[in-house]
Amino acid sequence: MNYKNNFIEEIIENDLKKGFPKTKLKFRFPPEPNGYLHIGHAKAICLNFGLGIKYGVNVNLRFDDTNPLNIKIHKHYIKKIKEDIQWLGFIWNEEHYASNYFDILYKWAKKLIKEDKAYVDNQSQEIINAQRKTPFEKGIPSPYRNRSVEENLDLFEKMKNGFFNEGSCVLRAKIDMYSDNMNLRDPVMYRILKKSHHNTGNKWFIYPTYDWTHGQSDYIEQISHSLCSLEFENHRKLYNWFLDQIVDPNNIRPKQLEFSRLNISNTFISKRKINILIEKKIINNWYDPRILTLSGLRSIGYTPKSICDFCKTIGITKRENIIDISLLEFHIRKDLNKIAYRKMVVLDPVKLIIDNYPNNKIEWFEIENNPEDINYGKRKVPFSKIIYIEREDFMEHKTYDFFRLSIGYEVRLKNSYIIKAISLKKDNNGKINEIHCTYDSNSRKNFRKTKSTLHWVSIQHAIKINICLYDKLFVNNKINKNSFKKIIGYGEPSLKHANIGVNYQFQRLGYFYTDYDYENNNILFNRTVKLKK
């Protein structure tokens, strides 16, 4: 992925011009294994790994596992993150875990205590937050701020050994309680958490905060340019302050650079909010494609190319904005148009009878599988007297802006004949259940034009297929109650041999992707995206 002319590349190019060795360039992608990767992570993945490819240098995968979670869940998230990165087409050079650095982080923390730059605070987090005040007020120093080095070393050792209860004390950096940057008002470096860790087991009763771990991990791995989302811009002074305390001038000092995170309309891109949606059963799980996780998008047929092309189009800037989801949909349509097999399927059927078509006649029409690529070949589709069409493709009384089938009007059946609606039948509730037409037997070859073309399926040959229809999760900032439907569709008989993991275009309806429904032991056709109208 090559982002041309973005400000991060300009900074890197300027560093190289000033003498920074190209061989010392190094990047990393540092996900927290507390959920699945989503489309926002794809932007950071494409940026970091794209820079690695452009400059021919290493890119590390480092798991920010400073928070102990359920071990089984933690390992599951790690596995899924790796799968998603590889699915996008990227390979990391080194795999690291922030937890691998706990020993050296602890050693450096003691160094800060010995230099009177860190202290143990026995106040609650609520009191600490209150004492920080606001950027427009001076903070209130902790009454424990001036403890002796010896006392702080002793207390910190006891924290490490599990002597204190959770929440009873923390280790804070001693920086500046009057700073206009709130992150410098004596930030917490360690807190007590008596929980087992997926990597370190029960070795630790204290765990470092992200701010204390982030820059030091970059330094340990000799990352040259640490790329973060814009929310960390105000943390940069703290990032640099911590580095000032430990950096050896003979080593590479990481440079933190921030870019705007990806925000997309009609959905959430936040692990915390996604967890709430799962807990409230608004969505099924992390695989749900409506929240744009990479695993979810993959399950409905999104391609790595479409996502990488989308990330390249939106580019890298420092300007926060909301990207309309239609741009993502544009890229998947563009890619699938080239690779998807065409099929005819009816989702909401109404019976159509061609009165003047012979009763027992069956014709097999040879139709292209993909008009974009002759190598996809052709298939044969059966045509008969009684077919299904979409209910929405018929209107009894035509309006000026309706160009599909109406009484007295003609349309062409796709790859077939021109028909004209003559009459209809309704049930006792007034619902149309049968449309009667006539056909022009010469129209398949004479290419006479009509204003509309409809897809269809021969009822005699139709097969039932299980279909999942996904749509936008939010409409006008409200939960879209129709964002997921599971229905039965009626498809042409060739779909009987559909394989798992194949992209289809159901003509005039949208793109669909085959997945396996293990619960019901059958194939599902998941809608990837609607066709653009």
Side-chain angles (χ1 to χ4, degrees):
M1 179 64 58
N2 183 13
Y3 290 96
K4 294 182 179 179
N5 301 322
N6 70 70
F7 75 96
I8 288 179
E9 280 196 15
E10 290 176 359
I11 291 172
I12 294 172
E13 290 294 334
N14 285 333
D15 288 342
L16 293 176
K17 289 177 182 177
K18 293 175 182 177
F20 189 90
K22 183 179 178 181
T23 56
K24 295 293 186 180
L25 287 176
K26 196 174 187 182
F27 309 99
R28 88 287 178 268
F29 175 61
E32 184 178 358
N34 62 348
Y36 283 30
L37 298 181
H38 51 63
I39 191 69
H41 293 109
K43 178 179 178 179
I45 292 169
C46 290
L47 172 60
N48 282 285
F49 285 94
L51 289 171
I53 292 170
K54 175 176 180 176
Y55 291 106
V57 296
N58 287 354
V59 180
N60 288 357
L61 171 61
R62 180 174 73 241
F63 290 99
D64 169 29
D65 57 347
T66 55
N67 292 313
L69 298 174
N70 177 287
I71 293 176
K72 184 176 180 181
I73 294 176
H74 223 148
K75 290 184 176 180
H76 173 72
Y77 288 150
I78 289 171
K79 178 175 178 288
K80 296 307 299 183
I81 288 170
K82 291 180 183 179
E83 288 177 359
D84 286 342
I85 296 171
Q86 291 171 330
W87 174 71
L88 281 177
F90 300 112
I91 301 295
W92 52 94
N93 298 90
E94 301 171 15
E95 181 178 319
H96 295 288
Y97 295 81
S99 56
N100 289 341
Y101 310 138
F102 282 177
D103 285 307
I104 191 168
L105 289 171
Y106 177 74
K107 175 184 175 183
W108 282 335
K110 289 180 69 174
K111 175 179 181 293
L112 263 65
I113 293 174
K114 291 175 182 177
E115 295 173 353
D116 198 24
K117 294 177 181 177
Y119 62 97
V120 174
D121 193 336
N122 290 87
Q123 298 179 111
S124 68
Q125 191 61 53
E126 291 75 17
I127 293 175
I128 291 173
N129 290 340
Q131 288 176 344
R132 284 202 175 103
K133 295 293 187 178
T134 71
F136 310 104
E137 306 171 276
K138 289 184 177 181
I140 300 173
S142 167
Y144 302 101
R145 198 172 194 265
N146 293 319
R147 272 177 162 154
S148 68
V149 168
E150 291 73 19
E151 184 180 6
N152 282 316
L153 286 172
D154 178 61
L155 291 172
F156 189 48
E157 185 72 15
K158 288 179 178 178
M159 286 174 60
K160 172 182 175 292
N161 293 330
F163 187 82
F164 301 117
N165 294 326
E166 289 188 11
S168 61
C169 54
V170 294
L171 182 72
R172 299 175 68 181
K174 186 188 291 189
I175 306 179
D176 184 359
M177 286 301 293
Y178 303 148
S179 173
D180 57 2
N181 186 319
M182 300 297 288
N183 295 299
L184 297 181
R185 294 191 180 184
D186 291 11
V188 173
M189 297 172 61
Y190 278 90
R191 68 271 200 238
I192 299 170
L193 293 172
K194 295 188 174 181
K195 294 179 175 65
S196 184
H197 190 279
H198 81 99
N199 193 22
T200 60
N202 296 311
K203 177 180 179 180
W204 297 91
F205 294 106
I206 55 173
Y207 289 92
T209 60
Y210 178 82
D211 278 328
W212 172 234
T213 309
H214 178 205
Q216 282 52 253
S217 298
D218 286 340
Y219 176 64
I220 292 168
E221 295 174 21
Q222 287 292 272
I223 302 301
S224 63
H225 295 79
S226 175
L227 311 182
C228 308
S229 55
L230 203 57
E231 63 200 90
F232 293 102
E233 185 174 32
N234 286 334
H235 292 247
R236 195 193 320 143
K237 285 187 177 180
L238 178 57
Y239 180 96
N240 287 329
W241 188 90
F242 279 139
L243 286 178
D244 288 340
Q245 316 310 314
I246 56 115
V247 162
D248 182 332
N250 295 314
N251 293 332
I252 298 297
R253 180 191 175 103
K255 178 186 289 188
Q256 179 175 303
L257 302 172
E258 308 86 16
F259 60 94
S260 62
R261 63 181 295 171
L262 175 58
N263 297 300
I264 293 189
S265 63
N266 301 103
T267 192
F268 282 144
I269 296 185
S270 160
K271 289 181 182 178
R272 181 182 61 81
K273 291 179 180 178
I274 289 172
N275 266 317
I276 293 173
L277 293 176
I278 294 173
E279 291 169 3
K280 292 187 175 182
K281 301 187 184 303
I282 294 172
I283 60 174
N284 301 322
N285 47 45
W286 283 94
Y287 281 99
D288 197 307
R290 292 171 292 175
I291 52 173
L292 305 187
T293 58
L294 297 184
S295 292
L297 292 175
R298 182 162 75 250
S299 73
I300 61 169
Y302 269 75
T303 62
K305 184 180 186 304
S306 67
I307 292 176
C308 290
D309 285 349
F310 166 72
C311 291
K312 183 177 181 179
T313 298
I314 61 176
I316 300 297
T317 69
K318 289 185 77 87
R319 184 179 67 255
E320 290 282 13
N321 56 4
I322 296 177
I323 304 297
D324 196 289
I325 196 170
S326 62
L327 183 58
L328 177 61
E329 293 172 344
F330 164 80
H331 281 286
I332 185 59
R333 287 192 196 98
K334 182 179 178 183
D335 196 24
L336 292 183
N337 184 55
K338 300 174 184 176
I339 66 173
Y341 288 87
R342 272 50 168 181
K343 301 291 180 182
M344 287 198 287
V345 174
V346 175
L347 303 185
D348 184 15
V350 61
K351 183 189 293 185
L352 187 147
I353 301 172
I354 307 172
D355 291 335
N356 63 335
Y357 192 86
N359 287 337
N360 298 317
K361 183 177 181 179
I362 304 293
E363 293 183 85
W364 290 84
F365 299 147
E366 196 171 61
I367 302 175
E368 291 176 312
N369 284 323
N370 187 330
E372 302 293 321
D373 190 340
I374 60 173
N375 293 319
Y376 277 63
K378 297 181 178 181
R379 69 192 189 281
K380 289 187 175 182
V381 178
F383 183 82
S384 62
K385 182 183 183 73
I386 306 174
I387 62 176
Y388 281 139
I389 65 169
E390 293 288 348
R391 187 170 294 276
E392 68 173 18
D393 282 342
F394 178 79
M395 180 180 288
E396 182 178 359
H397 303 292
K398 176 178 166 50
T399 60
Y400 77 94
D401 57 349
F402 186 81
F403 300 107
R404 285 165 278 180
L405 186 62
S406 296
I407 299 296
Y409 289 87
E410 289 185 329
V411 297
R412 179 177 289 280
L413 297 176
K414 192 166 185 63
N415 299 110
S416 181
Y417 299 105
I418 291 175
I419 60 171
K420 182 178 182 179
I422 303 299
S423 63
L424 56 82
K425 290 184 179 180
K426 299 181 180 180
D427 62 19
N428 293 333
N429 296 316
K431 183 178 181 180
I432 297 170
N433 57 19
E434 202 170 279
I435 303 166
H436 286 261
C437 297
T438 59
Y439 87 114
D440 178 354
S441 60
N442 296 316
S443 58
R444 187 163 187 267
K445 295 182 180 179
N446 65 16
F447 302 107
R448 184 159 60 86
K449 291 184 178 180
T450 60
K451 287 188 176 181
S452 186
T453 299
L454 309 184
H455 63 282
W456 51 272
V457 174
S458 168
I459 293 179
Q460 179 182 344
H461 304 89
I463 63 167
K464 292 183 178 180
I465 59 176
N466 298 283
I467 297 175
C468 290
L469 301 177
Y470 292 96
D471 209 339
K472 297 176 179 66
L473 183 58
F474 293 93
V475 175
N476 298 324
N477 295 321
K478 293 183 179 179
I479 296 289
N480 178 12
K481 295 181 180 179
N482 296 315
S483 63
F484 173 73
K485 293 180 182 178
K486 197 171 183 179
I487 65 170
I488 299 294
Y490 296 84
E492 62 177 75
S494 64
L495 284 170
K496 184 183 297 184
H497 307 292
N499 294 318
I500 304 298
V502 179
N503 296 100
Y504 293 99
Q505 184 196 102
F506 290 174
Q507 294 186 291
R508 299 182 63 247
L509 296 175
Y511 291 98
F512 290 75
Y513 182 74
T514 49
D515 198 5
Y516 196 76
D517 182 356
Y518 290 95
E519 184 177 346
N520 298 301
N521 195 32
N522 57 35
I523 288 180
L524 280 178
F525 290 82
N526 294 323
R527 183 165 65 191
T528 311
V529 66
K530 296 177 182 177
L531 287 181
K532 189 174 183 181
K533 293 184 179 180

